[in-house]
Amino acid sequence: VSDTDIKELEDVFGLNGQVEHKLNFLKKNVSKDIKLVLIAHSIGCYITLEMMKRASELQVLRSVLLFPTIERMAQSPQGKLMTPLLCKLRYVLYMPVYLLSFLPEGVKASLVRFALRGMKTCDESSITTSVNLFSVDCIANILYMASQEMLKVVERDSTTIKQNLKKLIFYYGTGDSWCPQHYYDEIKMDFPDGDIRLCEKGLRHAFVLDASKEMAAMITDWLQDDLTKL
């Protein structure tokens, strides 16, 4: 909350608050004539499109939207499973998280490793970051925003996409339960001239857990032409 000077922004941890928070950051820290490359993942893709909609004066050179949850989140396979929990039962999760927060850091790290044991490779930074989730305040903010996502991310903003189509790169997964492949098929049909790609590498929605370097290498390749023109 202390990171923004927008006094009327009371709901900074909500979906709208996060959009305004990012716009405020750019306003405070980035010169208006600086060209921007925006790279977003999951709900960050919705936030990015909202930023481009609300601040059309931003000098956005390219926006890369990875596994974009920009529509019908509650109707997705994972959304159908999580919406009742997030919208009605999320407070039930606070007590076990509170109790787990008292565990030693080493025990927390072991629990995270056990939860992620099915992965062939796992970035050690993912372990460190996940340990930070053993906090009631952190979990409360996450679940609160997630509940808003289920309720508010409904219709795809095709108008903003159309207005910025040449600046956008979409990257969808083949087995993504948050934005299933038929979402890709539909947006591809609606915007046949758009740069809308389907993952052929079998990367998971949460690619940051085990394929962040591979994703970074791909994005660097995609942006090479744009960056050389600067």
Side-chain angles (χ1 to χ4, degrees), residues 52-74:
M52 296 175 74
K53 175 182 178 180
R54 301 183 192 187
S56 57
E57 69 277 7
L58 291 175
Q59 300 295 312
V60 177
L61 181 67
R62 186 75 68 179
S63 287
V64 181
L65 308 181
L66 308 171
F67 302 92
T69 53
I70 57 175
E71 60 177 307
R72 295 174 285 174
M73 284 191 68

Side-chain angles (χ1 to χ4, degrees), residues 29-30 37 40 50 53 64 66 78 105 117 119 176 202 208 216:
N29 298 284
V30 180
V37 173
E50 278 293 308
K53 175 182 178 180
V64 181
L66 308 171
Q78 192 70 11
E105 294 302 300
R117 65 192 182 282
M119 296 184 184
D176 191 341
V208 293

Side-chain angles (χ1 to χ4, degrees), residues 85-86 89-98 136 139 143:
L85 176 64
L86 293 170
L89 302 173
R90 70 177 188 271
Y91 300 103
V92 177
L93 298 176
Y94 294 175
M95 181 54 70
V97 172
Y98 174 73
V136 174
I139 289 296
L143 297 181

Side-chain angles (χ1 to χ4, degrees), residues 3-4 7 10-11 31 36-37 61-62 78 111 124 135 152 156 165 185 199 203:
D3 193 38
T4 178
K7 295 181 179 180
E10 298 178 358
D11 192 21
S31 174
L36 302 172
V37 173
L61 181 67
R62 186 75 68 179
Q78 192 70 11
L111 289 174
E124 187 61 30
S135 161
K152 295 185 177 183
R156 184 209 314 148
L165 190 60
D185 295 333
C199 176
L203 301 183

Side-chain angles (χ1 to χ4, degrees), residues 202-215:
L203 301 183
R204 67 178 78 228
H205 184 90
F207 67 86
V208 293
L209 294 175
D210 56 3
S212 56
K213 291 182 179 179
E214 185 176 1
M215 181 64 77

Side-chain angles (χ1 to χ4, degrees), residues 12-30:
V12 68
F13 295 113
L15 190 53
N16 177 68
Q18 284 296 297
V19 175
E20 292 299 327
H21 178 270
K22 274 55 183 175
L23 288 172
N24 185 57
F25 173 85
L26 292 177
K27 181 179 179 181
K28 288 173 59 177
N29 298 284
V30 180

